[in-house]
Amino acid sequence: MATYPGKDIERAAQAARGSASDAGAPGASVPDAAAPDCALDAGAGASGPSAPCAGCDAAALTPAQAAAAAWDGPVAPIAAVEPESPADDAGFTAGCYLTTVDGQPVRDIIDWRWLAAEDAIAVGYIDQDGEAGEVELEREAGERWGFEFDGVLFDKVKLCRNACVFCFMRQLPEGVRPSLVLRDDDFRLSFLSGTFVTLTNLRPEDEARIIEQHISPLRVSLHASNPELRRSMIGRHAQHGLDALDRLLAAGIKAHAQIVLMPGVNDGEALRETLEWAWARPNIQNVGIVPLGFTKHQTALHESFTGPEAARGVIRTIEPFQARARTERGGPWVFAADEFYVNAFGAETPAHIPPASDYGDYEMFEDGIGIVRSYVDEFDEAVASGLAARAADALASRNLQARYIIGEAMQPFLDAMIERSPLADRLVPLTVGNDYFGGNVNVTGLLCGCDIAAAIKAEIGKEPVSSEEEGSLPKVEQGGVGGCSNRASSAANGNAQWAFPQSEDCLSKLGYPPSPPGQAPEGELFFIPSVILNDDGITLDDMTVQDIENAAGAPVSVVSCNPLDYLPEIIALIEPENVA
């Protein structure tokens, strides 16, 4: 699955925030796309990724940027040009923009691929001097045009116009960065990056485009097939989405469906009815069921399928559908998220999670489906191959213990697996509760820097100084502050180790004194799985790894998420002299 285009979402969020601020609303942020009278376009207020913010000083723009901002239509920003390519031969450089292909606007990377499929095209452009024009390009069969674009969407991100009762973005704490609460519902991101969409904001021309360009498969939020039930869950446009899905499926578009399961709402008989509805539509390739997630920053949601019996009930409900699908379609077709199995079986989860053959190529991995099976199989392989023993020996040779940060969801079965392996007492998970989000949020990927730092500090016996004591520093605020929120960390070398220069300014804003480089508890090394950080090295609460180190008072290293990757990385960190 492709990486989620955070750059496009970040820019759209900034543009939406700037548009609201320009309108004069004090403290305005992303527009509420779920308002009853919102436009069907649902893109109002979010300019394209290449259009500079209207609030910026025009004098700071390059001629190309100024011309792009004034262009009547989408513009595709060129990030790089491949040497000796047709684009290079025509004189294109990074910082130029494409505007059209054969007279047609280029709204996104899908349009580009569709329109530029021939070996001779005419491209409209804005050059570095801000001049617009058109040039003919030709290429040899199979040759690349040589353009690399900045982002994948060149017009407005399509926003959500629903009012889902379970919407996670509406449950986030105040002060998070805008991109975390911008609720996109864009069929193009569904195709390109695997995000789920409701199809409730599709216009007839969108449907026609999806069919013409065969934008397939899409990932669709189904939730319930009963019209009234679905309406009660996501809002008044629910039927529009179902009708659009039926038309697309009938036209040959394939879909992966997802159901967010709410206890007492769309489970039980309602779930069976929804699965029967989906089964009757062969172009729905599979269905993934994920449990309701809720945080402490709301008051309407209080329970999910955390109890063993409730979780097992869901597994039992889908088993007949899986048996039928194995017989008639060669695979289970409907999948329960890993959380159901962990909640149902605890430490015995590895014995009950479905086999790897059920998950195929793990195409629903990002939805929390198949992660546990993949992890268990990799851990078993690490033990069988001797990798686990080598890692244990490396740690033992220096009398070290690897403290691997995990969320509470992994703790029941991972502790038991490690205890039965050569890594017992050497690889010791440090289970971190998610106080930042609270509720039933307990997966590793949603851990925040403040909770990780607090867990490490508690582990090494260093409690923060009370703010009531004379000369003490203020308590760390959730979400990051000041100049600390946007500083990305960088890797120190080609291995997994990260090195961070001390920043007195950032430390003072975080509320902790600087820790001397290399200060660590005797015999303990702390490791953070990379899934906790975004591409810029930032946690969900805007902390860098350096910020975590400074707040915790101990150095940490970033490693991979899978045993076959992170165990060699740990060995390399301990024994750098043995790494070629």
Side-chain angles (χ1 to χ4, degrees):
M1 183 180 298
T3 302
Y4 185 78
K7 185 177 297 184
D8 297 282
I9 296 301
E10 193 77 45
R11 285 171 173 163
Q14 291 171 352
R17 179 175 56 176
S19 176
S21 298
D22 292 341
S29 58
V30 177
D32 184 359
D37 298 322
C38 67
L40 183 61
D41 182 9
S47 63
S50 57
C53 173
C56 295
D57 183 357
L61 302 179
T62 67
Q65 289 172 333
W71 186 261
D72 184 18
V75 289
I78 299 173
V81 173
E82 184 178 332
E84 301 182 5
S85 65
D88 185 37
D89 292 343
F92 285 99
T93 61
C96 297
Y97 296 83
L98 291 191
T99 57
T100 59
V101 175
D102 292 333
Q104 299 298 311
V106 184
R107 295 162 290 186
D108 45 57
I109 198 70
I110 303 172
D111 264 352
W112 165 252
R113 294 169 182 169
W114 179 261
L115 296 170
E118 302 297 329
D119 290 333
I121 58 175
V123 296
Y125 64 84
I126 296 172
D127 65 18
Q128 292 277 22
D129 296 324
E131 297 294 327
E134 187 177 73
V135 63
E136 297 277 347
L137 298 182
E138 293 185 3
R139 65 178 178 180
E140 300 295 329
E143 184 182 12
R144 291 163 45 89
W145 287 117
F147 293 107
E148 180 180 330
F149 296 106
D150 189 6
V152 296
L153 304 183
F154 310 139
D155 62 357
K156 301 171 183 177
V157 174
K158 297 179 183 296
L159 301 182
C160 178
R161 66 172 184 161
N162 302 313
C164 298
V165 295
F166 50 80
C167 179
F168 194 80
M169 292 180 181
R170 288 183 173 275
Q171 302 180 49
L172 300 184
E174 295 291 333
V176 297
R177 58 182 179 268
S179 58
L180 295 182
V181 292
L182 186 134
R183 297 183 298 122
D184 58 289
D185 197 15
D186 198 314
F187 69 87
R188 299 168 300 175
L189 298 184
S190 178
F191 172 69
L192 292 168
S193 307
T195 60
F196 280 89
V197 292
T198 64
L199 305 178
T200 58
N201 60 0
L202 283 192
R203 294 175 178 271
E205 53 264 37
D206 293 328
E207 288 187 41
R209 181 192 177 190
I210 291 170
I211 294 169
E212 179 190 8
Q213 296 183 346
H214 200 72
I215 301 175
S216 175
L218 297 175
R219 293 179 178 262
V220 179
S221 296
L222 179 57
H223 308 317
S225 60
N226 179 280
E228 289 306 313
L229 175 56
R230 192 168 194 261
R231 179 187 176 95
S232 71
M233 293 181 69
I234 74 171
R236 65 188 179 92
H237 303 293
Q239 193 59 41
H240 180 93
L242 272 187
D243 292 342
L245 175 59
D246 254 339
R247 289 190 293 269
L248 292 173
L249 293 171
I253 301 301
K254 298 185 184 301
H256 303 283
Q258 185 185 76
I259 296 171
V260 174
L261 205 63
M262 301 181 66
V265 178
N266 60 335
D267 58 347
E269 187 56 39
L271 175 59
R272 282 186 281 270
E273 179 182 332
T274 301
L275 293 177
E276 289 287 1
W277 183 93
W279 179 263
R281 291 155 173 80
N283 278 335
I284 293 182
Q285 296 187 301
N286 50 49
V287 180
I289 303 173
V290 300
L292 167 70
F294 60 89
T295 77
K296 68 181 182 181
H297 303 283
Q298 51 80 47
T299 57
L301 306 171
H302 305 285
E303 62 176 323
S304 190
F305 299 88
T306 52
E309 189 51 40
R312 291 176 188 178
V314 174
I315 295 171
R316 285 194 295 266
T317 297
I318 71 172
E319 281 175 343
F321 291 91
Q322 292 178 319
R324 178 182 178 185
R326 286 189 179 96
T327 300
E328 298 182 24
R329 299 187 182 178
W333 182 72
V334 58
F335 301 82
D338 295 354
E339 292 163 84
F340 289 107
Y341 294 96
V342 174
N343 292 341
F345 302 109
E348 300 304 315
T349 297
H352 295 274
I353 203 82
S357 57
D358 270 9
Y359 296 107
D361 60 0
Y362 290 92
E363 61 186 6
M364 292 186 283
F365 201 82
E366 299 295 330
D367 310 314
I369 296 174
I371 294 176
V372 171
R373 168 48 61 198
S374 174
Y375 191 98
V376 168
D377 288 350
E378 282 210 12
F379 192 90
D380 289 345
E381 184 178 342
V383 172
S385 68
L387 174 59
R390 291 198 301 275
D393 290 343
L395 289 162
S397 68
R398 286 165 169 74
N399 196 27
L400 294 172
Q401 199 174 69
R403 305 305 310 274
Y404 189 71
I405 303 296
I406 62 168
E408 293 174 328
M410 288 188 68
Q411 185 269 329
F413 68 90
L414 185 56
D415 280 355
M417 288 171 58
I418 292 174
E419 188 61 32
R420 296 191 294 265
S421 79
L423 286 161
D425 298 324
R426 289 300 169 187
L427 176 65
V428 181
L430 178 55
T431 303
V432 178
N434 198 320
D435 185 60
Y436 184 82
F437 288 123
N440 71 335
V441 179
N442 61 3
V443 297
T444 302
L446 293 181
L447 284 176
C448 294
C450 59
D451 290 326
I452 294 170
I456 294 174
K457 181 169 281 290
E459 180 68 18
I460 64 179
K462 287 183 170 181
E463 294 300 328
V465 179
S466 170
S467 60
E468 298 177 356
E469 297 179 16
E470 184 177 355
S472 65
L473 292 165
K475 181 181 178 181
V476 163
E477 294 291 334
Q478 290 181 343
V481 290
C484 306
S485 60
N486 293 317
R487 292 187 303 102
S489 304
S490 59
N493 54 44
N495 301 320
Q497 190 170 9
W498 292 56
F500 311 97
Q502 300 297 315
S503 169
E504 297 286 348
D505 178 65
C506 191
L507 290 174
S508 64
K509 290 177 180 177
L510 282 168
Y512 289 96
S515 301
Q519 181 179 357
E522 186 72 23
E524 284 188 312
L525 300 176
F526 294 96
F527 297 96
I528 298 178
S530 58
V531 70
I532 291 170
L533 307 168
N534 69 8
D535 290 342
D536 294 322
I538 306 292
T539 63
L540 288 168
D541 60 338
D542 293 335
M543 290 182 73
T544 65
V545 178
Q546 179 182 344
D547 296 335
I548 295 173
E549 285 191 314
N550 296 335
V556 299
S557 297
V558 178
V559 294
S560 302
C561 306
N562 305 312
L564 292 178
D565 294 324
Y566 73 66
L567 289 176
E569 291 169 352
I570 290 173
I571 294 172
L573 286 167
I574 297 169
E575 300 178 341
E577 67 276 9
N578 294 329
V579 178

